[in-house]
Amino acid sequence: MRTLSFSENFACTPQELFDALHTPSALRSWWNANRVIIIPRTNGMYAAAWGEDEDDPEYVSSGIYRVYDPPYKSLIEDFRYYAKSDPADFEGLMSITYEITARNSEAHLQLTHTGIPEGAEADAYFEACTIGWVETLKNLKKYVEQHM
């Protein structure tokens, strides 16, 4: 299995960063999702969808919060991803961890996306995630700068 890991500092408190990562309206804003649902607790749920047609989304990601420990950590397991253009099935294999620590007057985020299959069928997904997380973290940083 392949793993992606990213580390970034944000000009806000750990709680503000945690809130930006786990509040549906915030997540919708910086991740450019059309719909987001979060049940904020351990064994709660996360789901996001992209695409104008609610009945036929372009992309969907979802998972279960196995750890929900504000403002320091969340772990989404049973992470599932659907793309209408590429119906490769990696259901339940992946997880995403957000670990937040205070560093001086900033919040430090360590993001880890694990469980991406090694096979050629997952190469495009791995490449898209690599590029996507870099862009997503840029968007999150802009959101934090403008709203915190």
Side-chain angles (χ1 to χ4, degrees), residues 62-78:
S62 67
I64 305 296
Y65 284 111
R66 295 297 179 209
V67 175
Y68 191 85
D69 183 23
Y72 303 109
K73 184 176 182 176
S74 68
L75 166 62
I76 302 170
E77 288 187 330
D78 302 320

Side-chain angles (χ1 to χ4, degrees), residues 9 27 46 78 88 98 109 118 120 143 145:
N9 290 325
L27 197 65
Y46 151 83
D78 302 320
Y98 299 117
L109 174 65
E118 293 283 346
Y143 177 87
E145 289 171 357

Side-chain angles (χ1 to χ4, degrees), residues 8-128:
E8 187 74 47
N9 290 325
F10 295 84
C12 64
T13 68
Q15 185 65 59
E16 289 170 330
L17 180 56
F18 193 91
D19 291 346
L21 289 165
H22 298 90
T23 302
S25 58
L27 197 65
R28 219 175 38 250
S29 176
W30 60 262
W31 213 358
N32 300 311
N34 294 90
R35 290 160 299 286
V36 176
I37 298 169
I38 292 178
I39 308 300
R41 63 175 184 250
T42 297
N43 295 319
M45 298 174 62
Y46 151 83
W50 293 261
E52 293 299 319
D53 187 347
E54 185 172 6
D55 295 326
D56 190 22
E58 296 293 322
Y59 307 97
V60 176
S61 65
S62 67
I64 305 296
Y65 284 111
R66 295 297 179 209
V67 175
Y68 191 85
D69 183 23
Y72 303 109
K73 184 176 182 176
S74 68
L75 166 62
I76 302 170
E77 288 187 330
D78 302 320
F79 184 78
R80 297 167 186 245
Y81 177 78
Y82 164 81
K84 185 166 49 171
S85 62
D86 180 16
D89 186 2
F90 312 131
E91 291 184 2
L93 299 174
M94 296 181 286
S95 68
I96 295 175
T97 304
Y98 299 117
E99 293 179 282
I100 301 169
T101 54
R103 286 208 179 154
N104 301 319
S105 62
E106 296 185 316
H108 176 78
L109 174 65
Q110 180 65 47
L111 182 153
T112 308
H113 183 163
T114 63
I116 302 168
E118 293 283 346
E121 73 279 358
D123 286 347
Y125 178 76
F126 182 79
E127 179 72 22

